[in-house]
Amino acid sequence: MTETETRTALVELSGVGKRYGSVRALEGVSLQVHAGEITCVLGDNGAGKSTLIKTIAGLHQHDAGTLRIDGEETRLASPREALDRGIATVYQDLAVVPLMPVWRNFFLGSEPRTGVGPFKRLDTGLMRRTTREALLRMGIDLRDVDQPIGTLSGGERQCVAIARAVHFGAKVLILDEPTAALGVKQSGVVLKYVAAARDEGLGVVLITHNPHHAYLVGDRFVLLRRGTMVGHHTRDEITLDELTKQMAGGADLDALVHELQRT
Amino acid sequence: MTAAPNRTDAETADGEAADAKTAGGTVDDGTAGHGTADYGTADERILQTSATRKLLARPELGSVVGALAVLVFFAFAADGFLRASSLSTVLYASSAIGIMAVPVALLMIGGEFDLSAGVLVTSSALISSMFSYQMTANTWVGVGVSLLVTLAVGAFNGFVLTRTKLPSFIVTLGTFLMLTGMNLGFTKLIDGTVSTKTIGDMEGFASAHAVFASTLTLGGVDIKVTILWWLGLVALASWILLRTRTGNWIFAVGGNEDAARAVGVPVAATKTGLYMGVAFGAWISGQHLLFSFDAVQSGEGVGNELIYIIAAVIGGCLITGGYGSAVGSAVGALLFGMTSKGIVFAEWNPDWFKFFLGAMLLLATLLNAWVRKRAEAVK
């Protein structure tokens, strides 16, 4: 774990802050994403998790601190630029177009084409085949890639989105609460694919408010509360209990336990 | 608390078990068609789908069934409905709607409306006619200027929509009213009456008439050239929708605009392009309107925008976007043509047309919704 600190991080934030008018959404957040590692960002609702990922995904620009990609200080102007630099984001709710077939979703925005001039067309055979193969590689076996993606379960949709990011050579994968709306089993399946993406050598940023999920797969843990960073730990520095406690608000939780026990 | 890691480990084990089930469920291929039998085992893992289900899932199915029903109905109710000459009349009436229904359907798949489409046809004809007459230019010059101006109106719709993020209903209602006013206002200002001066004796009229409004005779049957335009547009639109990157983007911006934007689809350009597509259709229709005769009534076209939308909806376009087909819009237009002419052939009072139209719209939409629900439930 210590020798990873000397490697250049795929993405490195130091002291990043963001304001919306007079609202301080994020302040002084630092984190590193390394290849083959999962960095978990934990925080309650309103802790600034979304703002943080939007900054890394290129939807917003930070207005304090520095963002380094492969060691080079930068500022992302658009989601497209983030994608081009190998940062793919899978959003919880807007990952896919429900009525479109799985294979069309898979290639949306990066469609391979064949033919010349006005006869340039989608390479549908290649698209169908590649979708099947890429999903299989991640361990997802869909027989019919022609079904609308809306007919898949929430967990499967997340998995397709993850497989898509891996296929298109993303170096960094940002997952926005991938397990938030899922049942226990589905969450397990999704976490397995998150681990599979890590094993493919991607650096993963996993946003969650579930410390159990985070601890299952995470290598680093960044805790956010009310827009500021309240903790930054590597896996060997912290136990699940401690993580859960910090996540729940430490002292606040103690008070709550006390309060509830009286009844 | 200390038990938590164990518990979560068990959860992943369950997850893997569920996953194994996924693999198992998909291995036994072949025996498809049993989708309904597996209903009880719940959930997404049932991936069987048969040819029938695929057919049921086609967007244009409802309209094809409806069109066949109307065809059979008028075959009995109206003498001579099935004669070649009658059918050619029906096709002509259908093509007049169909030429606009195709781009309107594409726009609806892209998730937007265009209420200005009806009067834009008239605007396009007026511009063409008045430019040629006032400049004493070859009619083809007017036709070209009209194309540019009409496309600019489409681009304006798209630009205002994507910039202001107002609903397309409001934006195009605005252009609809402005165009209606300008059509009448400019015509009266320039020509002094509500119709344009005749351009029938001007240079280039004959060739423009041949392109936009001629009648071909094929095996003794008169075929209006608009039918060819219509078929060409349906083929082109189907190609774009199903086989090009642009088509993928059209479905995506209509189905989930935010998701499309997040993966790098140029949403604003796609929508603006769709509005310009409608404008292109309006240009063809407008030139037909002009060259069928030699003058244009400036008040025409109001209300037609709804007819185009109805044809697209009957043809299976979802009113919320992201679903539909160009062929469907053609069948919707055909249903329109058959009903409007069938009523004439059956010698009924044409006042009943609107009633039939409304009933058909309701039935087709219900049938579409029902078919889609079934197709998706058993998939």
Side-chain angles (χ1 to χ4, degrees):
Chain A
M1 197 57 63
T2 42
E3 54 109 23
T4 58
E5 305 296 332
T6 58
R7 284 191 288 160
T8 311
L10 291 174
V11 171
E12 184 175 6
L13 270 64
S14 48
V16 161
K18 170 75 190 172
R19 283 165 189 275
Y20 297 111
S22 61
V23 179
R24 192 190 63 195
L26 209 59
E27 194 174 75
V29 175
S30 304
L31 67 82
Q32 287 143 20
V33 186
H34 289 280
E37 278 189 21
I38 297 177
T39 303
C40 296
V41 177
L42 291 124
D44 206 349
N45 296 339
K49 300 187 302 267
S50 307
T51 310
L52 179 64
I53 57 165
K54 281 176 181 163
T55 307
I56 311 176
L59 274 165
H60 290 328
Q61 294 190 311
H62 54 287
D63 38 36
T66 56
L67 166 66
R68 285 196 175 83
I69 296 175
D70 289 330
E72 180 195 334
E73 189 172 336
T74 188
R75 209 168 251 281
L76 295 168
S78 70
R80 186 76 249 176
E81 191 187 337
L83 275 173
D84 291 343
R85 304 201 56 164
I87 301 174
T89 312
V90 176
Y91 295 95
Q92 180 197 336
D93 48 349
L94 48 76
V96 296
V97 185
L99 283 168
M100 284 171 81
V102 175
W103 64 273
R104 282 184 183 266
N105 264 290
F106 194 89
F107 282 99
L108 186 59
S110 320
E111 296 87 349
R113 289 183 297 171
T114 167
V116 285
F119 299 106
K120 211 167 208 181
R121 60 191 183 275
L122 295 179
D123 196 343
T124 53
L126 176 78
M127 289 167 81
R128 286 198 173 89
R129 214 165 45 242
T130 314
T131 305
R132 255 193 81 78
E133 282 164 7
L135 290 178
L136 263 180
R137 202 172 94 187
M138 295 288 292
I140 310 163
D141 188 6
L142 285 188
R143 170 141 44 84
D144 184 12
V145 292
D146 267 304
Q147 62 186 322
I149 205 163
T151 60
L152 301 183
S153 72
E156 283 176 316
R157 282 201 292 272
Q158 287 284 342
C159 296
V160 171
I162 294 171
R164 171 168 72 184
V166 172
H167 175 77
F168 284 108
K171 287 184 286 182
V172 177
L173 180 62
I174 306 171
L175 299 166
D176 181 16
E177 305 254 9
T179 59
L182 302 181
V184 173
K185 284 183 182 176
Q186 291 276 347
S187 300
V189 175
V190 170
L191 288 175
K192 230 180 59 173
Y193 295 127
V194 174
R198 173 199 62 200
D199 294 341
E200 296 261 345
L202 277 81
V204 181
V205 181
L206 177 67
I207 318 281
T208 178
H209 56 233
N210 188 328
H212 300 284
H213 290 165
Y215 203 75
L216 272 174
V217 293
D219 297 297
R220 288 160 193 279
F221 306 95
V222 173
L223 285 136
L224 297 180
R225 195 183 314 151
R226 296 167 67 84
T228 56
M229 191 170 74
V230 293
H232 186 169
H233 312 279
T234 52
R235 190 185 178 84
D236 49 1
E237 290 170 359
I238 193 164
T239 64
L240 173 62
D241 271 358
E242 228 174 295
L243 191 67
T244 313
K245 202 168 173 180
Q246 284 210 21
M247 162 76 203
D252 295 352
L253 186 66
D254 285 342
L256 188 65
V257 166
H258 196 63
E259 206 172 305
L260 291 175
Q261 264 173 352
R262 273 192 294 189
T263 56
Chain B
M1 264 308 164
T2 41
N6 292 332
R7 206 188 59 212
T8 35
D9 281 349
E11 283 171 17
T12 14
D14 276 359
E16 272 161 331
D19 195 48
K21 214 161 72 192
T22 316
T26 47
V27 170
D28 58 331
D29 201 329
T31 58
H34 284 77
T36 42
D38 290 330
Y39 227 106
T41 57
D43 98 36
E44 74 292 339
R45 283 168 211 125
I46 301 148
L47 299 173
Q48 279 100 331
T49 155
S50 66
T52 338
R53 305 249 175 278
K54 284 233 163 102
L55 186 71
L56 278 175
R58 296 291 311 160
E60 54 281 288
L61 179 86
S63 58
V64 171
V65 172
L68 286 175
V70 170
L71 181 72
V72 171
F73 177 76
F74 280 114
F76 286 105
D79 282 340
F81 185 72
L82 291 179
R83 247 181 305 188
S85 60
S86 316
L87 290 178
S88 136
T89 315
V90 166
L91 279 180
Y92 173 51
S94 309
S95 71
I97 308 285
I99 286 175
M100 283 304 281
V102 171
V104 166
L106 256 56
L107 180 69
M108 284 187 71
I109 295 170
E112 305 294 346
F113 289 107
D114 189 352
L115 296 180
S116 67
V119 286
L120 186 56
V121 171
T122 314
S123 305
S124 185
L126 288 171
I127 294 161
S128 179
S129 146
M130 286 196 285
F131 188 88
S132 302
Y133 187 84
Q134 296 300 329
M135 302 287 158
T136 22
N138 186 304
T139 50
W140 281 102
V141 177
V143 170
V145 170
S146 166
L147 175 63
L148 292 180
V149 177
T150 313
L151 286 178
V153 174
F156 174 81
N157 273 334
F159 179 79
V160 174
L161 179 95
T162 50
R163 269 307 169 92
T164 62
K165 308 221 181 327
L166 287 172
S168 59
F169 183 86
I170 296 297
V171 172
T172 60
L173 187 61
T175 24
F176 160 74
L177 290 170
M178 289 192 289
L179 286 175
T180 313
M182 277 160 59
N183 284 354
L184 287 164
F186 275 120
T187 314
K188 276 190 188 160
L189 199 67
I190 293 167
D191 287 336
T193 61
V194 289
S195 75
T196 60
K197 299 273 197 298
T198 171
I199 57 163
D201 51 0
M202 293 186 65
E203 214 179 315
F205 184 88
S207 57
H209 175 85
V211 170
F212 292 108
S214 59
T215 308
L216 316 166
T217 311
L218 259 163
V221 184
D222 288 346
I223 303 281
K224 280 277 185 182
V225 74
T226 48
I227 298 171
L228 302 181
W229 277 103
W230 179 34
L231 294 179
L233 280 180
V234 172
L236 178 70
S238 296
W239 162 263
I240 290 175
L241 265 185
L242 300 175
R243 284 289 171 268
T244 70
R245 190 169 66 175
T246 313
N248 223 28
W249 293 348
I250 293 172
F251 279 112
V253 298
N256 187 346
E257 191 177 324
D258 294 330
R261 188 175 289 116
V263 294
V265 171
V267 174
T270 306
K271 290 201 167 174
T272 308
L274 286 172
Y275 275 103
M276 291 176 76
V278 174
F280 181 70
W283 172 72
I284 297 173
S285 288
Q287 304 318 300
H288 173 68
L289 189 67
L290 170 62
F291 292 107
S292 295
F293 309 100
D294 49 16
V296 189
Q297 299 293 322
S298 57
E300 274 182 38
V302 178
N304 284 354
E305 61 282 343
L306 289 180
I307 292 178
Y308 309 142
I309 292 174
I310 292 168
V313 170
I314 289 178
C317 284
L318 265 192
I319 211 132
T320 45
Y323 192 77
S325 77
V327 174
S329 81
V331 182
L334 188 63
L335 243 166
F336 232 100
M338 285 199 295
T339 316
S340 65
K341 294 300 162 196
I343 285 174
V344 176
F345 288 124
E347 292 171 355
W348 296 344
N349 188 330
D351 295 343
W352 288 98
F353 174 61
K354 285 271 162 66
F355 171 81
F356 273 96
L357 197 63
M360 256 169 10
L361 176 68
L362 273 182
L363 279 176
T365 318
L366 278 174
L367 185 63
N368 278 339
W370 178 76
V371 162
R372 194 154 40 242
K373 211 175 278 172
R374 269 188 61 89
E376 278 173 12
V378 289
K379 247 188 182 168

